[in-house]
Amino acid sequence: MAAAAQLAVPPALSAEQAKAVLAEVIKAFGAPENAQRMEEARDNACNDMGKMLQFLLPVATQIQQDVIKAYGFSSDGEGGL
């Protein structure tokens, strides 16, 4: 039970590694298929902030999670292993 209660510790990244991850995330957003997904989500939101959260945020989160999982982060949004 105690082991289940422990919090997962995210992987440690150096400043250089963090910069590399960020560069990869930015590159992923620029990939044609991801840019199209973001544009479609933006169009569906119709410039409404609530709809932006509903349509755009999940797409953006998925794109960045696809990159960071290669660095040992989980894709559950919790940041641990």
Side-chain angles (χ1 to χ4, degrees):
M1 183 82 173
Q6 289 180 333
L7 296 175
V9 178
L13 296 176
S14 69
E16 290 304 314
Q17 289 171 317
K19 288 177 187 178
V21 173
L22 181 57
E24 283 189 48
V25 169
I26 292 169
K27 184 178 176 181
F29 279 109
E33 65 276 5
N34 289 334
Q36 181 179 352
R37 290 173 59 202
M38 292 290 287
E39 186 64 32
E40 288 172 3
R42 203 175 292 116
D43 289 346
N44 288 335
C46 300
N47 209 26
D48 178 284
M49 186 55 71
K51 288 183 180 181
M52 287 280 193
L53 292 172
Q54 181 182 1
F55 296 117
L56 195 62
L57 185 60
V59 173
T61 300
Q62 183 61 50
I63 292 168
Q64 68 87 27
Q65 284 178 341
D66 289 344
V67 173
I68 66 170
K69 69 182 176 185
Y71 289 87
F73 290 90
S74 68
S75 60
D76 65 2
E78 296 297 321
L81 295 172

